[in-house]
Amino acid sequence: MPGALVFGEQELIVLGAVLATAAPQEGCALLLGPVLEGDWRVAAVWPCLNVWRPEHERLRRFALDPREQLQAQRWARQRGWQVHGAAHSHPEGPLVPSATDRTLTVAPALMVISSPALAPALDAGALPLRAWWLDQEPGVEPLPVAVRIGAPASGDDGE
């Protein structure tokens, strides 16, 4: 479990755009970067298509394409990074993992949930998302993970 999840402002903007573009459906992305002193730094946002079937349920469900996940893992490894977890939007719901989110997630995992409706909150100083750690123990409630905005880590070149 990360000590905190650290976003740069640019990565937050990219994530917000990726998730908002999918609206009114749930959008999704993978979060990649290094681990620095126990914190997980988001150095890149990997946009993904929501491949949930049937399509009409994408308003309330999402699924990542396994091929995209493998490509993101390969790309991250080439940079000495890892795939920290997945982000997705809840266009109309709360920023907490739903029962479906928890059932379909292979734990342990980091899950970030945002809402396009909250994007203006970034200007007000509040982050428009929440991060959660899903434990592999059945019945354990997701644990909140601290999210903060930080300067790019030295050596991050945003390739």
Side-chain angles (χ1 to χ4, degrees):
M1 179 173 165
L5 187 62
V6 182
F7 282 89
E9 287 186 25
Q10 179 177 344
E11 289 78 20
L12 275 176
I13 291 168
V14 170
L15 180 60
V18 166
L19 299 180
T21 299
Q25 297 181 350
E26 287 197 8
C28 49
L30 294 168
L31 307 175
L32 291 62
V35 174
L36 302 169
E37 299 175 8
D39 291 342
W40 292 7
R41 165 83 170 101
V42 177
V45 175
W46 188 278
C48 296
L49 292 174
N50 182 349
V51 296
W52 184 271
R53 297 280 183 218
E55 286 185 36
H56 72 275
E57 291 184 6
R58 292 180 187 168
L59 297 172
R60 296 182 50 236
R61 304 279 185 264
F62 83 100
L64 298 168
D65 184 333
R67 292 172 295 186
E68 286 183 310
Q69 293 180 55
L70 289 172
Q71 290 172 342
Q73 287 173 337
R74 220 174 277 127
W75 192 84
R77 262 191 250 119
Q78 290 172 352
R79 287 153 181 77
W81 297 350
Q82 67 182 24
V83 174
H84 295 315
H88 72 282
S89 58
H90 280 182
E92 297 181 10
L95 301 183
V96 296
S98 68
T100 302
D101 289 337
R102 293 190 311 235
T103 300
L104 297 178
T105 299
V106 177
L110 176 74
M111 179 179 290
V112 173
I113 303 172
S114 184
S115 172
L118 297 178
L122 182 58
D123 295 332
L127 293 177
L129 54 84
R130 298 289 177 266
W132 302 92
W133 183 255
L134 282 74
D135 199 285
Q136 60 194 50
E137 293 295 322
V140 173
E141 289 296 312
L143 300 170
V145 174
V147 179
R148 65 178 198 265
I149 298 175
S154 60
D156 279 359
D157 55 13
E159 286 181 22

